């Protein structure tokens, strides 16, 4: 039987939820009104900018574009966040602390998945590379893919100043927030993504299974999220 509705990626659903929520909160804080097209492009960058950079690095079509489940998940959250009837979604779900807690757990798993499956694994195990062996053996390529996939969306957002915070923070005088673990909330920071990529690649090089590496990344991301939630910053 034919599928009536497209498949939906649960991990992309969680990631898109936080990306769209962050963008709408910024609009409301600054009293901004933007077109639906600008909103969807900005939120797409936040959610899929990282895997897009990984695709560029590897000379491939970004995986989210050819995926059957990633874009539907994003479009669902984009519509719910900005255009749900009577704004019922925004008034009930994104501001509920209990639901946000579980969404945060899901987003932590999504960012861990970005480092592994959507990042390092694309360099290690993708059979469609023209120079498969060279890419697989390149430590730099593998680490860059994991780092970019998990944090590239935030990097692009700061570069283009999508949140309208003034001048771009990518200057010699300012430190981009994506480098500051305690400040950046949308996606994994550049610092953490880089370290997790090295850790995951170390497991693979030591002949541990992908499943083991993914489980460790997920556990570390969830622990980090719980620590941020339960331990007050000083």
């Amino acid at each position: 039987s034919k599928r009536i509705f497209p498949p939906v990626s649960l991990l992309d659903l969680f990631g898109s939820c936080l990306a769209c929520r962050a963008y709408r909160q910024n609009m409301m804080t600054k009293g901004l009104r933007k077109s639906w097209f600008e909103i969807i492009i900005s939120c797409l960058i936040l959610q899929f900018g990282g895997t897009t950079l990984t695709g560029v690095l590897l000379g491939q079509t970004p995986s989210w574009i050819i995926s059957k489940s990633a874009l539907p998940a994003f479009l669902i959250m984009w519509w719910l966040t900005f255009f749900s009837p009577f704004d019922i979604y925004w008034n009930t779900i994104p501001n509920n602390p209990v639901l946000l807690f579980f969404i945060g757990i899901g987003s932590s798993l999504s960012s861990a998945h970005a480092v592994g499956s959507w990042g390092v694994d694309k360099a290690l195990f993708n059979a469609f590379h023209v120079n498969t062996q060279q890419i697989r053996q390149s430590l730099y390529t593998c680490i860059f893919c994991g780092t970019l996939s998990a944090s590239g969306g935030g990097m692009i957002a700061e570069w283009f100043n999508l949140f309208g915070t003034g001048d771009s923070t990518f200057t010699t005088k300012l430190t981009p927030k994506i480098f500051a673990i305690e400040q950046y909330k949308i996606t994994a920071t550049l610092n953490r993504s880089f370290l997790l990529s090295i850790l995951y690649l170390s497991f693979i090089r030591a002949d541990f299974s992908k499943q083991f590496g993914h489980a460790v990344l997920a556990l570390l991301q969830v622990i980090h999220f719980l620590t941020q939630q339960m331990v007050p910053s000083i």
Side-chain angles (χ1 to χ4, degrees), residues 46-67:
L46 287 171
Q47 174 60 11
F48 297 120
T51 49
T52 299
L53 290 178
T54 293
V56 171
L57 178 63
L58 295 176
Q60 299 176 345
T61 302
S63 57
W64 65 271
I65 297 179
I66 57 179
S67 169

Side-chain angles (χ1 to χ4, degrees), residues 32 53 137 181 207 215 228 233:
L32 302 175
L53 290 178
Q137 294 169 4
I181 292 178
D207 292 328
Q228 294 290 94
S233 57

